[in-house]
Amino acid sequence: VDTAQKLQRCIEHLRQLDPAPDLVVITGDLVDLGHPDEYRRLRQLLAPLSQPIVAIPGNHDERDAMRAAFSGDGYLPASGFLQFAIDDAYPLRIIGLDTLIPGQGCGALCAKRLAWLETTLARRPSRPTLILMHHPPFATGIGHMDALGLSGADDFERLVARHGQVEAILCGHLHRPIQQVVDVGRAPSDHLVEVIRNKT
């Protein structure tokens, strides 16, 4: 599979959209083996995009190489997990979670990562929020992919249920479009739909 060619076609499609997107998000597996030269090639391929790019790691990524490749974008931390919050640049607050376990296909949200998320959400309880993560926090019904799923998903679900400002969660990992509605005991908000409709 010529993934570089497919990415170039995707980028060309994005460039033709009218209205143009305000932001491009990439939910992990930016490269195959996590080598620095792969990230250099990725940045070359992404260069035609005029929009800001926000990326989180997937199971094929390597934290330090990815951090170096995207350090100039200003949202990744200088050390530790590649987790971040972009607070006021867009109508939605954007939180990126790092579910990577180095060398493994499955992912995890350990106590440290979940504590960071709890604290980060608690700081802006009324700010509509979008969460980005690589591994979906639910069973998909695709057996071989669910076997490479996310540990800590139940704790994550309980945590998100305590924070009503979370509008949506975008994931990667499966390489196909899947939608899941999670009932956490509250009515869904129309804010995300209005943001997309009005492009405010």
Side-chain angles (χ1 to χ4, degrees), residues 35-92:
H35 294 159
D37 58 333
E38 291 179 307
Y39 288 104
R40 283 191 289 273
R41 175 66 174 139
L42 173 67
R43 293 308 306 235
Q44 292 170 352
L45 292 169
L46 294 174
L49 289 173
S50 59
Q51 296 87 356
I53 296 168
V54 171
I56 57 168
N59 52 281
H60 284 269
D61 292 299
E62 198 281 325
R63 282 192 187 100
D64 289 336
M66 179 177 165
R67 193 190 322 271
F70 287 84
S71 62
D73 296 68
Y75 60 89
L76 290 178
S79 61
F81 295 120
L82 297 180
Q83 303 197 142
F84 56 85
I86 301 173
D87 286 320
D88 297 311
Y90 305 99
L92 291 169

Side-chain angles (χ1 to χ4, degrees), residues 113-169:
R113 285 177 266 200
L114 288 169
W116 178 90
L117 177 61
E118 182 87 66
T119 300
T120 301
L121 287 170
R123 279 202 304 263
R124 303 289 296 272
S126 61
R127 182 82 167 103
T129 298
L130 173 68
I131 295 177
L132 310 176
M133 57 196 296
H134 183 65
H135 296 83
F138 56 86
T140 67
I142 304 171
H144 69 283
M145 294 302 288
D146 286 339
L148 301 173
L150 178 71
S151 67
D154 292 342
D155 292 331
F156 173 78
E157 182 179 344
R158 286 188 289 270
L159 191 160
V160 169
R162 296 193 294 271
H163 296 276
Q165 76 269 35
V166 177
E167 299 283 347
I169 301 165

